[in-house]
Amino acid sequence: MKREKSCGAVIFRGETAQRQYLILKSTQGHTTLCKGHVEGEETEHQTALREIREETALTVDFVDGFRQVITYSPKPGVIKDVVFFLARLSGGVLTCQAEEVADARFLPFGEALSALTHPSDRDVLEKAHAFLEGR
């Protein structure tokens, strides 16, 4: 089995009642969270920061204590781990990377949850939201 690894983040802005989460519509048609493949000797956090910057032109600050991993098989003979962190928007102007991202937007929790294509992404978003609510 070949192993692959990607890293990304549940990105949010705002506080409690006004909190919104970033979702991306890929050029392949699915709606997802920001993530991408590890390159070279990058750490998980370095990969997540690079992918966020490449896909959205945004900068973020990680929230300590949140790390979720989903594992699946994207194709026969391949097992992939995707590591998600939680990150607060800190700067930049939302700009989609044309090759990979057709649209990106911040939505309230319920709308963001409904928009996500994959149940595993919805699960990660639910856990991130609960983590923030419990702080």
Side-chain angles (χ1 to χ4, degrees), residues 15 19 46 62 84 115 121 126 135:
E15 297 298 326
R19 188 178 302 125
Q46 287 169 336
F62 291 116
F84 285 102
D121 285 346
E126 285 177 323
R135 288 192 320 155

Side-chain angles (χ1 to χ4, degrees), residues 15-88:
E15 297 298 326
T16 316
Q18 288 76 38
R19 188 178 302 125
Q20 296 181 318
Y21 297 92
L22 181 66
I23 58 150
L24 308 180
K25 175 132 184 163
S26 79
T27 54
Q28 299 172 340
H30 57 275
T31 303
T32 187
L33 301 168
C34 193
K35 64 185 178 295
H37 287 92
V38 174
E39 293 181 1
E41 298 298 315
E42 286 179 324
T43 67
E44 292 175 348
H45 281 104
Q46 287 169 336
T47 298
L49 288 172
R50 178 183 49 75
E51 286 293 336
I52 292 164
R53 194 172 50 255
E54 287 176 0
E55 293 182 357
T56 68
L58 298 175
T59 57
V60 299
D61 295 318
F62 291 116
V63 176
D64 289 339
F66 185 88
R67 182 182 182 273
Q68 292 290 316
V69 181
I70 59 173
T71 302
Y72 67 100
S73 177
K75 55 190 170 196
V78 177
I79 295 292
K80 183 172 187 172
D81 291 325
V82 183
V83 178
F84 285 102
F85 298 104
L86 182 58
R88 177 186 299 276

